[in-house]
Amino acid sequence: MDDAGTENIGTLVVLGATGDLTSRLLLPGLGRLLTEQPRRRIRLIGADLAPLETRQWTATVREAFASAEAAGPAVDHALDHTDYLVTDASSARDLGRVLAAATGIPALYFALPPAVTAEAVGALHQVDLPTGTVLALEKPFGTDRDSAAALNRRLTSLVDEDQVFRVDHFLGKSTVLNILGLRFTNYLFEPLLNRDHVAKVEIVYDEQLGLENRAGYYDRAGAMVDMIQSHLLQVMALITMDAPQSVRAADLRTAKAEALRAVRPFAGDPVSASRRARYTAGTVGGRPLPAYVEEPGVDAGRGTETLAEITLESTTWRWSGVPFVLRSGKALGEARREIAITFRPVPQLPAGLDGRLEPTVLRICLGPDAMVLELNVNGPGDPFVLDRGRLEAQFGAGRLNPYGEVLHGILERDPSLSIRAEGAEHAWEVVDRFREAWRSGSVPLEEYPAGSAGPPTWRS
Ligand code: BG6
């Protein structure tokens, strides 16, 4: 037991241990966490189909920890207490064997594609789960609303909802969490964040990265599921939700789920409120990229988008009528990762003031982490001519990286930063409306050269 009287996780089991996610994100996140918390003691079990030996797995863990500059007694303990078990995650017998090798309360982290996760959850029904077992599921959670609802039912017939962690690493980003601090601990912005004062909100995550050999996963997800369903809708919920009583799991997750329940396509029309596109060959940051459809493993016939933009509305008294533009894409010329809140123009410019009147914009930048307030000011030259001023604050890197933060929640059994069952279903409901319209062919799949700003017709 820790000071708060909660029991910590004794063993972290990673199902899908040989996958890219594990070595690139999970293990480095764990390394950072163990470095920050040198007194933590965990046993780590890697489980996957590949016939690895514990020696090889330990070398992978060591390398990933080194990449995160992880060191100290908790790191050494984890390295000394790690094993690899060849495991078919859909086999109840194999899962039983993995659980028998765990000490203390286990957390099973499903770093697996949604279909395999669903099979593994099914198989767990034939296994005796130790009391308190935590189930952590990587995104995407299901493949649409119905499959997410079915998975939720299967999960909650195994363990309590508070033992289920639907992972979104964006909720572990310190600047995303800072939305709560910014909104609910300052009197300055919160009274203005509503339909009377805000003209539009953009939540944008444009990346320069291309497919990065992830066709097996990405070609079935596309930008809409990979980013908008899994991450950006959660960010929107943090912007639109009402002030929770506390930031503890129950209150925070209720406020977010309520906020998501109110989200609809703008003006109720998923066709006019969405655009999609796919990149052709080009150069990004000096690096040549082949067309998306030429990447190994891509099936051009699937028509997967690498850039998605949807406009949403929160049908609440506070936000009704304000467009929320959510957009994310790969292989774009510039990495624009921010939440931009554009305020309404002032009703009238006092006579005698000249210059271009632009709206006030509050930008919460997600890498490099910063906050910028763009304002109209009187210029340094002629005091009656408007100029643009910027108030800017840079934020340091968070204590942990996002996966470190996610794992901290799991090991502490604190689900504040994970998505609750109905929250996941509401997010799918929104996205399914657009995907249905896309499947019917009503929204054309446009093209943009890798390294550009998107399809030329999108520039507005
Ligand atoms: C992941 C997506 O969840 O988030 C990736 O699968 C994306 O496609 C990534 O690149 C972006 O997040 P971050 O934190 O790596 O910038």
Side-chain angles (χ1 to χ4, degrees):
M1 295 252 188
D2 67 10
D3 295 345
T6 55
E7 287 170 283
N8 293 331
I9 295 298
T11 300
L12 176 65
V13 177
V14 181
L15 297 163
T18 63
D20 170 67
L21 174 85
T22 302
S23 55
R24 211 165 43 83
L25 297 166
L26 269 185
L27 293 176
L30 181 63
R32 286 300 331 140
L33 175 65
L34 296 176
T35 308
E36 283 292 317
Q37 301 185 334
R39 299 217 316 235
R40 191 177 281 284
R41 297 290 174 265
I42 64 152
R43 169 157 164 66
L44 175 67
I45 299 181
D48 213 336
L49 277 174
L52 281 199
E53 287 178 17
T54 288
R55 183 176 46 82
Q56 294 164 296
W57 160 250
T58 308
T60 305
V61 178
R62 196 182 295 282
E63 202 178 304
F65 281 179
S67 75
E69 295 175 13
V75 169
D76 295 342
H77 182 274
L79 282 166
D80 289 344
H81 293 81
T82 189
D83 276 310
Y84 179 85
L85 298 175
V86 178
T87 305
D88 173 357
S90 63
S91 147
R93 210 184 49 143
D94 283 13
L95 291 172
R97 212 164 41 87
V98 168
L99 286 167
T103 50
I105 298 176
L108 298 184
Y109 195 113
F110 298 82
L112 298 167
V116 187
T117 296
E119 277 183 51
V121 170
L124 279 181
H125 280 84
Q126 294 145 48
V127 177
D128 265 342
L129 284 183
T131 311
T133 299
V134 159
L135 305 175
L137 295 94
E138 206 17 84
K139 63 103 226 254
F141 182 82
T143 50
D144 55 17
R145 192 222 160 253
D146 290 350
S147 63
L151 189 52
N152 277 334
R153 283 193 297 275
R154 278 151 110 193
L155 284 164
T156 40
S157 66
L158 277 174
V159 296
D160 286 348
E161 171 61 28
D162 276 1
Q163 291 161 242
V164 180
F165 286 67
R166 296 169 194 82
V167 169
D168 172 5
H169 81 280
F170 268 51
L171 296 175
K173 284 182 189 272
S174 50
T175 302
V176 170
L177 291 177
N178 189 29
I179 295 170
L180 297 175
L182 182 72
R183 286 191 58 199
F184 302 127
T185 63
N186 296 291
Y187 217 94
L188 188 58
F189 299 113
E190 193 50 24
L192 300 180
L193 292 181
N194 57 54
R195 65 194 310 268
D196 295 331
H197 304 289
V198 174
K200 71 168 171 188
V201 178
E202 294 157 281
I203 302 175
V204 177
Y205 212 83
D206 282 353
E207 299 182 284
Q208 291 183 309
L209 290 178
L211 187 56
E212 308 289 309
N213 299 319
R214 295 167 73 213
Y217 151 71
Y218 191 90
D219 203 37
R220 287 184 168 75
M224 178 75 111
V225 170
D226 182 48
M227 292 300 294
I228 294 182
Q229 195 280 335
S230 303
H231 304 306
L232 302 191
L233 276 163
Q234 292 296 319
V235 177
M236 176 171 170
L238 290 176
I239 299 282
T240 56
M241 74 183 196
D242 284 326
Q245 278 300 312
S246 77
V247 293
R248 283 191 284 276
D251 292 330
L252 183 58
R253 301 202 307 165
T254 301
K256 271 200 305 126
E258 272 300 293
L260 280 173
R261 197 156 73 87
V263 176
R264 309 269 184 282
F266 193 76
D269 180 11
V271 175
S272 61
S274 68
R275 312 196 270 198
R276 57 181 178 143
R278 184 163 75 178
Y279 67 82
T280 54
T283 307
V284 186
R287 195 163 65 109
L289 272 192
Y292 176 76
V293 294
E294 300 300 333
E295 294 271 14
V298 167
D299 173 357
R302 277 204 189 97
T304 301
E305 78 290 350
T306 58
L307 172 61
E309 184 185 281
I310 61 176
T311 306
L312 301 169
E313 189 176 357
S314 165
T315 54
T316 52
W317 273 46
R318 180 201 271 262
W319 288 112
S320 175
V322 177
F324 279 77
V325 180
L326 273 56
R327 158 186 162 124
S328 183
K330 298 272 185 204
L332 289 155
E334 249 181 75
R336 179 182 168 212
R337 294 173 296 220
E338 66 174 13
I339 302 150
I341 301 173
T342 303
F343 291 88
R344 286 185 185 279
V346 292
Q348 189 184 319
L349 185 63
L353 268 185
D354 276 338
R356 219 172 116 96
L357 184 64
E358 299 212 34
T360 305
V361 183
L362 172 65
R363 296 183 192 280
I364 300 164
C365 310
L366 304 170
D369 291 356
M371 200 179 99
V372 179
L373 187 61
E374 293 176 3
L375 302 157
N376 296 312
V377 290
N378 288 61
D382 183 339
F384 294 101
V385 176
L386 290 178
D387 208 343
R388 206 66 179 150
R390 278 166 71 91
L391 300 180
E392 187 164 344
Q394 303 283 343
F395 303 132
R399 164 188 73 143
L400 296 172
N401 53 20
Y403 269 93
E405 212 61 75
V406 162
L407 287 168
H408 179 246
I410 292 169
L411 298 184
E412 286 294 320
R413 305 182 66 196
D414 172 3
S416 310
L417 300 185
S418 89
I419 299 168
R420 211 169 55 188
E422 71 274 33
E425 292 174 32
H426 293 326
W428 275 117
E429 253 160 52
V430 174
V431 157
D432 283 354
R433 298 253 336 247
F434 289 98
R435 292 206 303 164
E436 225 167 84
W438 290 6
R439 269 194 298 271
S440 74
S442 320
V443 179
L445 178 63
E446 299 177 62
E447 292 193 328
Y448 61 100
S452 69
T457 49
W458 287 27
R459 282 174 214 149
S460 52

